Structures are given as C-alpha cells and as structure tokens.
Amino acid sequence: MDPTIKLILLLIFFRIACASTIEKKFEHCERVVKDWALSSLHQGINNDKHTLQDLLFFLHVPRTGGRSYYHCFLKKLYPSSQECPRSYDKLRFDPSKTKCRLLATHDDYSMMEKLPKERTSVVTIVRNPVDRVLSSYEFSVEVAARFLVHPDLASATKMSKRVRAKTNGVSTLDIWPWKYLVPWMRGDLFTRRDARRQKGSSEAKSDSPYDMEDMLMPLKEFVDDPIVQDIVHNGATFQIAGLTNNSYLAEAHEIRHCVQEHKSLGQHVLHVAKKRLDAMLYVGLTAEHKESAMMFANVVGAQVISQLKDANFSVDTLADNQSGNISSSHLDSELESNVDQNNSTLDEKATVQDESEAKRENMTVAELIEVYEGCISSLLKTQSRRRFASLKRISPANFSKEARRSISDEVLQQIRTLNHLDMELFEYAQEIFTMRHVRLMGNIDMKDGSEGKFDRLHVFELWKIPSLVMLFILLLVLFVFANARRRVSKVKVRNKY
C-alpha cells in the first residue's frame, strides 16, 4: 500500500478515536452534572422564604459589598454570643456551637449540607459580573502590594507567617478566595519589581493602571489566567450552586470542570443557582446600594429585632457586640503599623465602631438604617486610607472609576464572555430584586416613619420621572388641542366671507 494512503488512513483512524473519546467524556460529564442538578433541585428548600428562620446564613459573594453588611448591619443586630464561631474568618463552619443564629461566610451553598435546612434562611448580594471581576483584580493587587515594604518575597512570606502566629489573628491570606489570589499576585509583584531594579528603570510605560506591565500584572493577563478561570469567572453562579474549589461536595471539582469544558452544561448549574436565589429571604444588588440597604433593614433587620425581643434578649445587646473587635482609632494605628512596618494583613476582623451606636432600647428599622449609614461612612474612609497606603507601593498605578474607562472594549467583552453564567444570573437577580422591592414599597406604611431616609428618597426618585413625563404629555395635548381649535375657527371665518 502506498505510504501516503497509509498516513491518510492513520490520520482518519486517529481522528475517529479522538472524536469517540471526546464524545465519551461529554456523555460522562453530562451524566454527572445532570445527576447533581436533579439531586440539588429535589433537596428540601424552605418554602416560607419571607419569614426569617432560626439561623441566618449570609452567603457572601466576594467583592459585592458584603463586608459593609456584615459589619454595619449584622454585627449591629446580632449579639456576639449568637454568631457562629469563626464563621466569617476561617470560612469553615464550627458545629460546636449548635445554637448560633448568624453564619456569615464566603463559603458556598454546600455549607447547607451542615445546616438544618428547614430552620435556615439564606441571604446574599449579587453584582454586575464585569464590575466584580475588576474589583477582584484591584483587591488582589491592593493586598499583595502591602508586602512590597519587604526587601524580597522570602522576607515578606516569613514575616507574614510570624506576625499571624504571634497575634493569633486572621489574615486575608486565610480567607477564600484571597488565600489563592493574593499569594499568586504577591509573587508576581515581586518578580516585576526585581526586573525593574535589574533594568534600572522605575517608570511605567502606560498611563492605564490596568496595563502597566512593568509595574503589575496587566488586567488582560489576569483575566486569561487559569487560576482566575477556576476561581473568579462565573464565581457567583458556582458559589450559589455550591461548586467552588472551597466546596464541601466531593463531586464539586469534577462538576465545575465539566461545565468549564462543556459550555452547554452550564445551564444545569445556572438553573440550580436561580432556584436557590428564588428561595432566599433576601437578594440585594451592589449597584442599587440605597434601595438594597433599605430593603435589608425592612426585610431582615425588622425580623431579627423582633426575634431578639421575643427571645427575651435585651435590646441593649444589639450594639454591644463590639467587645471582641477593634475600635476605629485602634484600627487606624494598626493599619499604619501593618503597611509601614510589619505589613501584616490582619484586617478582616477589624470593625469600625461609632460611639453614637451606644446601647439602644426599642430599636426601630429607621434607627437601624441610621446606624448603618454612620458605620458605612467610617468603614469606607478606612478602606480608602488602606487602599491609598497599599497602592503607593506601585505608584503611579491607582485604581479608580475614571481609570476603568481606559480598559479596552476587547478586554471587557472577554470578561463578559468568560462570565456568561454570571451575566445571566445577574439579570435574574435584578428581576427578583425589582419585584421584591416593588412589593415592599407597597407594604410599607409611609406614615409610621419606618421607611427612613432611603424609602423617601427612593419613592421621590421612582415617581419623579414618570410624573414629569405625564405633565409634559398633558401640556403637549392641550397645546395641540388649542392649535386645532384656532385653525377650525379661522376656516369658519373664511367660509363665512
């Protein structure tokens, strides 16, 4: 047989064999994903989604603004004695405290396997996937840059371990997903700094902080990296589905990678995530900050206050839950120490404390919102100082809303494509939020004052535009009608003569 014909036949056989293998892999993945989805949908979900149950599980999707809810809402509502131990920081549920009532964590929905489903209410916040990916990039760089105070990576790593062991505190490096992203970004920053020193150059060749290759990892490189593909992209969908690389489910890794390899299978995971959003007590939106906070206070806050009163807990303890945390003045000094001296990242346990939040009796929803506003104002100032102190290590790189405009459309579209599940889940979350917000506004008695400033502001904004439009249309109709009458009158006069 001719050698050329032999080669062609071998190539055909090889292609058939490969196609058969790919088909078998897909069939296996399809079976695994469908079996999990079917099982997840049949699991008992609390049907009374409007009533707060004994345990509140705050499923905190990273970079959605959840930290402000934790510190400025939940820590003001729940006495520290009722918070599940190490829940937020260590991100692994400690079942030793069986009567805890608040679990706030970056853990995914697989945590429900360890909780009494019928006695647990779940709340979460969802963010536009593009903004969440950009924020994940910025925060990874910000935290990693704190270590650049050290002469080299080995020194930074050694000092970080020593400080964490000495203080027995919790570092950003202990928290998912930053325990993966920050060390990776930290190593990259040191590598680039060493390269600049060898070249004897310290000037950035780009004006955009998202494309300063000499200073830090470009955004495009971050977006395309396998680590980010596995942890960040479609992260909200996987977290709400319970399939992150931090999941309690043994099959989570296989399912996640099947979905990443076979895009069509993602619809099964998305369907489960949507069903779980539907069943949650509260779904907030990062972009709708005021409306989300108002709804949280009225839907969750009001019921927590009622539960505490019914359980005979003194309302005085509502604000008396800061004892194990760090005051704002202590926090400021610790921040300076962390950034400028030992660069510890022990920041996640810090809570901003406001003296005006002294013990309150008979707290109302309006008062809760007032407390929240004061707390978040201080928290944002603290975060701003921290970011400034970190990013000066990689100056002139400085992240801001204006700087984001320099990101190319190509990179933004790549983020949308890689987060196709999250894009669809976000749209669904928007629908849920809109429906629930309209229903809440209809139920609130505007005379009892419980709506607070957020309610009044939203009602004004909600009706201001439609009212102006209606007024404009009415004036236009009157104008047209008057014009028509004048013309008819003129015609009659002409006909008369």
Side-chain angles (χ1 to χ4, degrees):
M1 184 181 293
D2 187 272
T4 304
I5 295 175
K6 281 185 178 181
L7 180 60
I8 292 172
L9 290 174
L10 282 172
L11 289 173
I12 292 173
F13 176 78
F14 179 74
R15 187 167 184 177
I16 292 172
C18 287
S20 177
T21 301
I22 293 172
E23 186 177 351
K24 286 180 180 178
K25 284 183 177 180
F26 175 78
E27 289 174 353
H28 170 74
C29 277
E30 185 179 37
R31 183 174 64 255
V32 170
V33 173
K34 283 186 173 181
D35 286 348
W36 165 81
L38 189 63
S39 173
S40 298
L41 292 172
H42 285 168
Q43 287 177 357
I45 295 179
N46 179 21
N47 293 321
D48 188 10
K49 62 184 179 183
H50 301 301
T51 303
L52 175 64
Q53 302 302 316
D54 297 335
L55 176 63
L56 179 64
F57 172 22
F58 176 32
L59 193 156
H60 180 185
V61 178
R63 309 314 295 166
T64 58
R67 189 179 176 208
S68 63
Y69 274 57
Y70 174 70
H71 286 302
C72 300
F73 267 140
L74 297 174
K75 294 289 285 183
K76 310 303 179 189
L77 286 166
Y78 284 93
S80 56
S81 60
Q82 291 189 355
E83 187 174 358
C84 301
R86 297 181 179 271
S87 59
Y88 187 80
D89 295 324
K90 289 299 184 183
L91 309 180
R92 285 291 151 181
F93 180 56
D94 183 353
S96 62
K97 193 173 182 180
T98 56
K99 293 184 179 180
C100 61
R101 301 173 71 92
L102 171 64
L103 176 64
T105 170
H106 280 313
D107 271 307
D108 62 30
Y109 201 92
S110 64
M111 172 68 75
M112 290 292 284
E113 295 293 318
K114 295 180 173 289
L115 306 176
K117 295 182 181 66
E118 69 284 353
R119 294 192 296 106
T120 302
S121 292
V122 186
V123 298
T124 196
I125 306 171
V126 182
R127 187 176 189 179
N128 182 303
V130 175
D131 291 334
R132 191 180 62 78
V133 170
L134 295 179
S135 185
S136 296
Y137 168 75
E138 292 165 0
F139 187 71
S140 298
V141 172
E142 176 192 338
V143 177
R146 296 176 196 168
F147 293 89
L148 290 175
V149 67
H150 297 287
D152 52 54
L153 180 59
S155 174
T157 305
K158 184 178 179 181
M159 181 59 73
S160 174
K161 290 180 179 178
R162 183 185 303 169
V163 171
R164 287 158 63 193
K166 181 180 178 181
T167 59
N168 196 29
V170 176
S171 167
T172 306
L173 299 180
D174 296 319
I175 299 176
W176 183 89
W178 314 118
K179 63 183 180 182
Y180 298 106
L181 296 175
V182 172
W184 167 57
M185 186 64 73
R186 179 178 62 186
D188 182 83
L189 286 178
F190 272 100
T191 299
R192 293 175 195 270
R193 189 179 74 173
D194 293 343
R196 289 196 307 274
R197 287 177 174 176
Q198 287 180 359
K199 292 179 182 178
S201 171
S202 60
E203 294 184 2
K205 297 180 180 179
S206 171
D207 293 331
S208 171
Y210 300 93
D211 193 29
M212 290 185 177
E213 189 173 1
D214 290 341
M215 302 296 297
L216 68 156
M217 181 187 299
L219 174 62
K220 180 172 175 38
E221 187 176 330
F222 174 86
V223 168
D224 292 334
D225 195 276
I227 294 177
V228 177
Q229 301 259 2
D230 193 41
I231 298 174
V232 180
H233 296 323
N234 292 314
T237 303
F238 286 129
Q239 192 169 350
I240 294 170
L243 298 173
T244 68
N245 68 334
N246 201 44
S247 176
Y248 286 96
L249 299 179
E251 65 271 27
H253 180 79
E254 182 180 14
I255 294 170
R256 190 173 67 259
H257 283 276
C258 279
V259 170
Q260 290 168 344
E261 188 173 348
H262 305 286
K263 190 174 179 179
S264 62
L265 298 180
Q267 290 303 312
H268 300 289
V269 175
L270 183 62
H271 183 57
V272 172
K274 286 181 176 180
K275 287 291 184 183
R276 288 177 173 170
L277 275 185
D278 270 330
M280 290 185 183
L281 173 66
Y282 166 86
V283 177
L285 299 176
T286 305
E288 303 294 334
H289 169 69
K290 291 182 178 179
E291 291 80 2
S292 291
M294 180 275 294
M295 188 157 71
F296 188 90
N298 280 280
V299 173
V300 182
Q303 293 192 67
V304 174
I305 293 171
S306 178
Q307 278 189 357
L308 291 174
K309 289 179 180 178
D310 292 343
N312 293 321
F313 286 102
S314 169
V315 184
D316 286 348
T317 62
L318 288 176
D320 189 24
N321 47 32
Q322 318 295 332
S323 57
N325 297 311
I326 304 171
S327 69
S328 57
S329 59
H330 188 174
L331 174 59
D332 292 340
S333 62
E334 183 190 43
L335 287 175
E336 293 172 3
S337 175
N338 287 347
V339 174
D340 296 328
Q341 296 179 26
N342 57 31
N343 195 37
S344 161
T345 58
L346 304 176
D347 59 323
E348 293 297 330
K349 292 193 75 174
T351 299
V352 177
Q353 181 178 1
D354 187 350
E355 292 180 2
S356 67
E357 298 164 18
K359 298 178 180 179
R360 297 170 180 269
E361 293 183 0
N362 301 318
M363 178 180 275
T364 65
V365 171
E367 289 171 331
L368 175 62
I369 290 176
E370 186 179 347
V371 168
Y372 171 81
E373 287 181 304
C375 173
I376 195 171
S377 175
S378 298
L379 189 65
L380 290 174
K381 288 177 182 177
T382 299
Q383 291 174 342
S384 178
R385 285 195 297 267
R386 177 170 300 164
R387 169 173 282 204
F388 176 79
S390 296
L391 294 183
K392 71 180 182 180
R393 304 288 175 189
I394 52 172
S395 178
N398 185 28
F399 303 123
S400 65
K401 289 183 180 180
E402 284 194 12
R404 285 189 179 186
R405 295 174 187 168
S406 67
I407 301 173
S408 69
D409 292 337
E410 178 189 355
V411 172
L412 294 176
Q413 185 54 47
Q414 175 75 342
I415 294 174
R416 294 187 191 98
T417 301
L418 292 171
N419 288 271
H420 63 284
L421 297 178
D422 272 10
M423 294 296 294
E424 192 170 338
L425 185 70
F426 175 63
E427 290 179 6
Y428 192 73
Q430 287 178 305
E431 293 174 10
I432 293 175
F433 178 82
T434 301
M435 288 188 294
R436 293 186 181 183
H437 188 260
V438 169
R439 183 171 61 245
L440 174 65
M441 295 304 298
N443 292 338
I444 290 179
D445 181 2
M446 302 299 288
K447 293 182 181 180
D448 66 6
S450 64
E451 73 278 2
K453 290 183 284 185
F454 287 162
D455 296 39
R456 297 189 187 96
L457 177 62
H458 180 73
V459 170
F460 175 70
E461 291 176 346
L462 185 66
W463 294 104
K464 179 172 61 177
I465 295 175
S467 298
L468 290 174
V469 171
M470 289 298 294
L471 180 62
F472 176 76
I473 292 174
L474 182 60
L475 290 173
L476 184 63
V477 170
L478 290 173
F479 175 77
V480 171
F481 181 72
N483 241 8
R485 289 196 63 178
R486 281 198 211 99
R487 288 178 182 175
V488 170
S489 298
K490 288 180 180 178
V491 170
K492 285 182 179 179
V493 170
R494 286 173 183 172
N495 289 339
K496 186 176 179 179
Y497 290 99

